[in-house]
Amino acid sequence: MKAIQLLAHGHPGKLELRDVPDPRPGADEVVVQVQSCGLNHIDLWTEAGELPIPIDLPRIPGCEIAGRVWEVGAEVKNWRRGDEVAIQSNIFCGKCEFCRRGDESVCLSGKLLGVDCDGGFAEKVLVPARTLVRLPTGLDFDTSAALTLAGSTAMHMLTNRTQVKKDDWVLVMGGASGVGSAGIQIARQLGARVISTASSEAKRALAQHLGAEFVIDSNDEKWPLEVRKITARRGVDVVLEHVGGQVLVKCFECLARGGTIVTCGATMGRDISFNLWPFFVKEQRLIGSYGRNRADLETTLEWAAAGKLKPVIDSVFPLDQTPEAFNKLRSRKVLGKVLIEPFEPAPET
């Protein structure tokens, strides 16, 4: 099969289209024919070798996968060739105490698809059958791939790690990003009033189109003051944060008493310090969020099928142009998701 392999780390790394052996399933595994795969900042970190875990090379990146079941292992009973599926990118063991209670996001033996094992920038991918989720009727592959990771991450943040309520003020950082664009829509569906941030006029227009009531220029160093003005100095109840570094620190300036920051990323830095006194005096919360549980992914796809959650797709690249897709994401000029499609679209009849 054809696949994009990362052969050497760098900025950019060495990504090459190569012929590799077709995967063969073990007893509890499934081979999925990839129809669409989203590009994520995890892929940029993998390319650069900047994740805090060792990565064996060569590696096929790609973690946001939708496709069709191609081949099943001898012990797989619930799937057959042709089934349309999404793949849960945080591969879980299904046996530890956390998996048994439905918290697969913190599995003791968790692996990252496209990082710890080969991912979806290929014609086929091998995964445990337990990671498959059936696509709802009528949901296309591009929509699924665009929401499978980013959308379910936002769903996990706003409905599992914290629970957004009707009339809450919610601040969504980076509203034009994959997580941000989904977060705006989810918060609105839950009845919240949404403020978002964005770094360009086009990104601000997109965030407003998605449902943000107010959108703030994140290039303005005094953007937290704008949040305070909008909320009549009260602050917001929830911050959906996925940037890290000093951006996360500034989010505390926007937070109401009893408010919550839920964070899932660190693209702008992993080490922070903040003033502990107002944090505990105002009984605020800082909550980590990692990946998603199976229930989050199922809910995300169900919302998408019902029209309650729509992906923002910036562009679609064929497999042999994956390095160009990496360059586009790296430029930070993307509105929504960049997708890779290994196969040419079928001609319309």
Side-chain angles (χ1 to χ4, degrees):
M1 68 174 184
K2 299 288 185 182
I4 292 289
Q5 286 191 319
L6 175 64
L7 304 179
H9 296 301
H11 297 87
K14 185 177 181 182
L15 293 164
E16 189 173 297
L17 181 66
R18 309 179 88 188
D19 289 306
V20 301
D22 280 28
R24 299 300 303 273
D28 65 345
E29 295 178 318
V30 172
V31 175
V32 173
Q33 185 186 54
V34 179
Q35 298 299 311
S36 186
C37 185
L39 184 60
N40 190 279
H41 270 282
I42 291 173
D43 299 308
L44 295 186
W45 286 333
T46 300
E47 177 193 32
E50 292 177 346
L51 288 168
I53 54 177
I55 301 172
D56 294 329
L57 300 181
R59 171 66 70 229
I60 301 172
C63 51
E64 307 179 78
I65 304 168
R68 293 188 179 92
V69 172
W70 182 261
E71 187 178 0
V72 301
E75 297 178 4
V76 176
K77 305 301 182 184
N78 298 325
W79 300 101
R80 63 183 61 187
R81 182 165 176 161
D83 286 344
E84 297 185 350
V85 298
I87 301 174
Q88 188 165 335
S89 61
N90 52 306
I91 298 176
F92 55 94
C93 71
K95 300 176 181 178
C96 71
E97 61 173 301
F98 300 102
C99 287
R100 290 198 303 270
R101 72 188 193 196
D103 288 331
E104 299 96 348
S105 62
V106 286
C107 171
L108 291 173
S109 303
K111 296 181 179 180
L112 291 174
L113 189 59
V115 178
D116 297 302
C117 55
D118 285 336
F121 296 148
E123 293 177 333
K124 300 184 185 76
V125 63
L126 175 68
V127 294
R130 61 184 173 273
T131 64
L132 300 187
V133 173
R134 195 176 304 275
L135 293 192
T137 302
L139 193 65
D140 64 86
F141 294 117
D142 281 351
T143 296
S144 174
L147 292 172
T148 290
L149 190 149
S152 63
T153 295
M155 186 69 72
H156 185 64
M157 295 171 79
L158 296 179
T159 65
N160 180 291
R161 299 301 293 138
T162 192
Q163 289 79 42
V164 171
K165 304 182 296 299
K166 187 177 184 298
D167 296 325
D168 277 352
W169 277 106
V170 176
L171 172 61
V172 176
M173 304 304 298
S177 66
V179 171
S181 61
I184 290 171
Q185 296 177 74
I186 293 167
R188 284 298 305 271
Q189 287 287 340
L190 295 171
R193 301 185 69 181
V194 178
I195 304 169
S196 190
T197 67
S199 60
S200 71
E201 185 175 344
K203 291 181 178 181
R204 289 190 287 275
L206 173 59
Q208 193 162 27
H209 172 75
L210 293 170
E213 193 172 340
F214 302 92
V215 186
I216 296 168
D217 184 355
S218 57
N219 295 311
D220 183 350
E221 292 186 359
K222 296 182 179 180
W223 62 263
L225 290 178
E226 290 299 313
V227 175
R228 286 285 179 184
K229 289 179 183 177
I230 291 167
T231 59
R233 299 181 64 184
R234 175 186 180 274
V236 298
D237 300 285
V238 175
V239 181
L240 184 150
E241 202 286 323
H242 52 98
V243 182
Q246 288 304 302
V247 172
L248 189 152
V249 175
K250 284 192 171 185
C251 287
F252 283 104
E253 301 175 32
C254 308
L255 204 58
R257 292 174 181 268
T260 300
I261 297 173
V262 57
T263 182
C264 73
T267 56
M268 299 298 290
R270 299 171 188 170
D271 296 321
I272 67 166
S273 62
F274 65 95
N275 188 341
L276 192 58
W277 180 268
F279 177 70
F280 67 74
V281 168
K282 296 180 181 180
E283 295 193 348
Q284 295 168 336
R285 301 173 183 87
L286 175 61
I287 297 176
S289 185
Y290 184 66
R292 79 284 310 138
N293 300 329
R294 184 180 184 85
D296 302 312
L297 179 52
E298 290 174 338
T299 300
T300 299
L301 298 178
E302 288 166 3
W303 279 33
K308 296 167 62 177
L309 180 59
K310 298 180 181 179
V312 178
I313 298 174
D314 177 277
S315 49
V316 180
F317 288 79
L319 186 63
D320 61 359
Q321 293 181 23
T322 299
E324 288 83 352
F326 271 68
N327 289 336
K328 184 165 189 178
L329 183 60
R330 194 181 296 110
S331 74
R332 299 189 62 198
K333 296 180 180 178
V334 170
L335 299 178
K337 295 298 300 180
V338 175
L339 302 178
I340 306 296
E341 291 184 348
F343 297 99
E344 292 287 339
E348 296 184 4
T349 58

